[in-house]
Amino acid sequence: MAETDSPTQSEAQRRYREFMELLPLTLALAGLPTSDSGRYYNEEQIETRLFTIRYAYKAAQGLVRQIAVR
């Protein structure tokens, strides 16, 4: 069973590492402001921000792939 778990676990680690490496670029592309001290976002605002971050992450992945090909 350990043999089947290894590729899955290594793939998950690779994806996590890729996400963490792209996080600064992703957040810069998303351009989201931080919340004011003591003020919190409601559920709808959080969902909107998540959508924006997901879209920015896909854009960051595409940009890195495009740069790597050249």
Side-chain angles (χ1 to χ4, degrees):
M1 188 176 239
E3 291 178 21
T4 58
D5 290 343
S6 288
T8 307
Q9 186 177 12
S10 66
E11 177 67 15
Q13 289 175 343
R14 184 193 66 76
R15 293 177 136 225
Y16 178 77
R17 193 170 40 253
E18 178 186 15
F19 173 76
M20 293 305 292
E21 289 172 354
L22 290 176
L23 191 57
L25 176 59
T26 299
L27 295 176
L29 290 172
L32 297 171
T34 57
S35 66
D36 295 331
S37 181
R39 299 192 71 193
Y40 303 101
Y41 296 111
N42 63 36
E43 187 175 345
E44 186 177 312
Q45 290 170 318
I46 291 171
E47 287 179 22
T48 302
R49 291 170 70 87
L50 285 173
F51 177 80
T52 302
I53 291 170
R54 282 187 190 111
Y55 187 78
Y57 179 68
K58 289 178 184 179
Q61 282 181 313
L63 176 64
V64 169
R65 286 185 186 130
Q66 192 177 44
I67 291 170
V69 171
R70 291 180 185 211

